[in-house]
Amino acid sequence: MRALQRLIQGRVLLLTTCAAGIGGTFQFGYNLSIINAPTLSIQEFINETWWLRTGQPLPNHLVLFVWSLIVSLYPLGGLFGALLTGPLAVLLGRKKSLLVNNVFVVAAATLFGFSRRAGSFEMIVLGRLLMGISAGLSMNVQPMYLGESAPKELRGAVAMTPAIFTALGILIGQVVGLRELLGDPGAWPLLLASCLVPGLLQLASLPLLPESPRYLLIDRGDTEACLAALQRLRGTADVVGELEELEEERVASQDQRTRRPWELFQDRGLRRQVMSLVVLGSAVELCGNDSVYAYASSVFQAAGIPEEKVQYAVLGTGSCELLAACLSCVLIEMSGRRVLLIGGYCLMTCWGSIFTVALCLQSSFSWMPYLAMSCIFAFILSFGIGPAGVTGILATELFDQKSRPAAYMVGGALVWTLLFLVGLGFPFIKTKGKTFLEISEELHRLNFPRQSQGPKRMGPEVILSTEL
């Protein structure tokens, strides 16, 4: 409660958190989510465009390949963005890096918006790559910026807000992608281009807020600017004690230069920190949370939810992660990082095991689909309470000012590489469980869209292949 009172007292810190988040991890979650709704529409657009160019349908495997590129180039762009984090954060500063990052957003939204008019699916491919670069950069700069701007008693709670904005972005993306809003088959260019709105909000608000005090003092040596930033962020002129702590940190790192990513692996004094970053960063991407999201639609249908209502049930998964992220923001300073991590993964192991058994037996017992559905929500809650948020603040707390940008580059590159590999391979393995007739009918409909009576909504089979 005291932490909440301090956060409200420092209203500028709260505004800084929101301004950084809306154009940061919110964009990541939003763009990860909205690509699911127009899956079939974009695939039909790809094939129709190729037909108009060549007079022939695009071969089945190439339709799937182009779509997998659209999906997987987002994390590939994220890898490039993560590699830009260190140089830009040091050269421009944390705040300016976030502002410059919106150049990619504006360019991508323009490509998305005019892709159908131009008859070019390549514009969608390039737009997804640019949005990935934007997400990779902002996902690493945002927690660095907020972690350095928050007081130590609020650092954990503030550093957990990127997870809240990610979950919020996923949920808003699910809502905007509903058929009643921008999920209509003809509205997909507007849906993809809607990423421009969070970018404009950040461009309008973030310039009015202060830069990271640590960056101003330790990297730039500007004591006056650091003092002014601290006073604005804390909502009080009495920041002498905190300024002295920063000055001590500056003196301690005075003879050091900013580290490069490979130097982190060479320094024996950073071995444990780097190992923690790599192991926990890999675990958060390979823990199966995305797979649970992928199976959600089919499990909801098996539980008796009508196909046209499944999209509303899926909203519950995004709401669960948002609720868990908000809860972890409160619990982190009370229970600590380690408890949330260990407890979260233990609960995920438990619910994941039960979920697997329920999927195997859902045709044998009528109540098994309901158990599987409950496990989905429990699994997502467990992930959101611990691993989703705590993993993101490791680089801020485990590394000093000179090593922190390089640590975010290493962690970000690892996470986005794993996302790219899974996103590229996942669409090709989702024919499992379908009959050859079902596979042929799907691809035939993609190859000959003009023969259909207008676009039809695909069931979970298509959505499953794009959930990542």
Side-chain angles (χ1 to χ4, degrees):
M1 200 65 184
R2 289 181 60 189
L4 181 61
Q5 291 173 349
R6 280 290 305 272
L7 188 60
I8 294 174
Q9 181 184 4
R11 289 185 296 274
V12 175
L13 177 59
L14 182 60
L15 293 174
T16 301
T17 302
C18 294
I22 195 66
T25 52
F26 178 90
Q27 282 277 34
F28 165 68
Y30 185 76
N31 285 279
L32 199 67
S33 178
I34 61 172
I35 196 63
N36 296 317
T39 296
L40 181 60
S41 301
I42 294 177
Q43 288 178 346
E44 290 179 343
F45 169 72
I46 292 169
N47 201 50
E48 184 176 348
T49 301
W50 189 263
W51 183 288
L52 292 174
R53 291 178 185 176
T54 65
Q56 296 178 348
L58 192 65
N60 299 341
H61 65 283
L62 290 182
V63 172
L64 193 58
F65 178 71
V66 173
W67 175 246
S68 70
L69 274 181
I70 291 175
V71 175
S72 60
L73 278 179
Y74 184 63
L76 181 62
L79 172 61
F80 295 150
L83 296 178
L84 290 173
T85 298
L88 285 181
V90 174
L91 181 64
L92 300 178
R94 286 40 166 166
K95 187 180 80 170
K96 287 184 180 178
S97 295
L98 288 173
L99 292 171
V100 170
N101 185 46
N102 285 289
V103 171
F104 299 111
V105 176
V106 174
T110 304
L111 290 170
F112 291 144
F114 291 98
S115 57
R116 185 168 60 183
R117 183 180 295 272
S120 173
F121 59 81
E122 294 86 355
M123 293 173 69
I124 304 176
V125 174
L126 180 58
R128 288 287 289 178
L129 179 66
L130 292 177
M131 281 308 303
I133 295 174
S134 171
L137 182 59
S138 62
M139 275 188 69
N140 291 290
V141 175
Q142 178 191 345
M144 192 190 316
Y145 175 43
L146 296 179
E148 293 176 359
S149 299
K152 57 185 178 182
E153 61 268 24
L154 285 177
R155 188 174 59 231
V158 171
M160 289 289 284
T161 57
I164 294 177
F165 280 100
T166 299
L168 182 62
I170 291 174
L171 179 60
I172 297 299
Q174 291 172 340
V175 173
V176 173
L178 291 175
R179 297 167 199 173
E180 293 82 356
L181 297 177
L182 296 182
D184 183 82
W188 63 263
L190 186 59
L191 175 62
L192 296 183
S194 62
C195 63
L196 181 63
V197 176
L200 292 178
L201 288 175
Q202 186 177 72
L203 285 172
S205 57
L206 194 58
L208 306 176
L209 299 164
E211 175 62 276
S212 159
R214 271 185 166 76
Y215 171 78
L216 291 172
L217 182 63
I218 299 175
D219 290 285
R220 286 180 47 186
D222 192 339
T223 305
E224 291 184 3
C226 173
L227 178 60
L230 276 176
Q231 290 174 340
R232 289 191 64 195
L233 287 167
R234 304 298 178 259
T236 177
D238 185 16
V239 293
V240 177
E242 191 169 356
L243 185 62
E244 290 177 352
E245 292 178 9
L246 292 179
E247 185 65 34
E248 291 176 3
E249 187 176 342
R250 185 188 70 83
V251 172
S253 60
Q254 196 167 16
D255 298 328
Q256 302 176 11
R257 60 175 177 80
T258 303
R259 293 178 182 269
R260 297 175 174 86
W262 57 86
E263 293 177 344
L264 300 183
F265 295 92
Q266 298 171 349
D267 190 339
R268 295 189 62 183
L270 295 174
R271 183 172 299 173
R272 287 182 179 272
Q273 294 94 310
V274 173
M275 185 180 299
S276 299
L277 186 68
V278 170
V279 171
L280 293 175
S282 301
V284 81
E285 292 305 326
L286 300 176
C287 65
N289 189 63
D290 293 318
S291 300
V292 170
Y293 270 111
Y295 280 105
S297 297
S298 59
V299 171
F300 291 153
Q301 281 189 318
I305 297 177
E307 183 177 349
E308 64 275 8
K309 302 294 183 182
V310 166
Q311 59 175 343
Y312 303 108
V314 171
L315 290 178
T317 60
S319 302
C320 266
E321 188 163 345
L322 178 59
L323 174 64
C326 294
L327 186 60
S328 67
C329 189
V330 176
L331 293 177
I332 188 168
E333 296 298 348
M334 297 170 55
S335 57
R337 285 69 163 158
R338 184 170 178 169
V339 171
L340 290 181
L341 273 176
I342 296 176
Y345 278 121
C346 287
L347 288 173
M348 289 170 68
T349 302
C350 174
W351 296 121
S353 302
I354 298 174
F355 180 63
T356 303
V357 173
L359 285 180
C360 295
L361 300 178
Q362 64 178 350
S363 59
S364 303
F365 301 94
S366 60
W367 50 270
M368 277 295 173
Y370 299 99
L371 177 61
M373 188 168 62
S374 301
C375 287
I376 287 177
F377 291 108
F379 190 94
I380 293 172
L381 280 169
S382 303
F383 175 76
I385 288 176
V390 176
T391 306
I393 69 175
L394 292 176
T396 300
E397 297 193 333
L398 296 182
F399 295 88
D400 59 24
Q401 189 74 11
K402 298 298 183 180
S403 303
R404 194 171 294 129
Y408 272 104
M409 289 177 67
V410 171
L414 174 68
V415 166
W416 286 103
T417 299
L418 292 173
L419 272 175
F420 171 71
L421 294 176
V422 174
L424 185 63
F426 198 66
F428 289 96
I429 62 175
K430 290 311 292 180
T431 54
K432 183 178 180 180
K434 303 176 186 176
T435 66
F436 289 112
L437 180 60
E438 289 172 336
I439 297 171
S440 299
E441 287 176 349
E442 285 182 21
L443 293 175
H444 179 81
R445 186 145 63 91
L446 291 174
N447 284 328
F448 301 98
R450 294 177 180 273
Q451 296 181 7
S452 62
Q453 300 295 321
K456 294 181 181 179
R457 280 280 159 181
M458 207 68 164
E461 289 78 13
V462 169
I463 297 177
L464 287 178
S465 69
T466 63
E467 198 68 50
L468 296 182

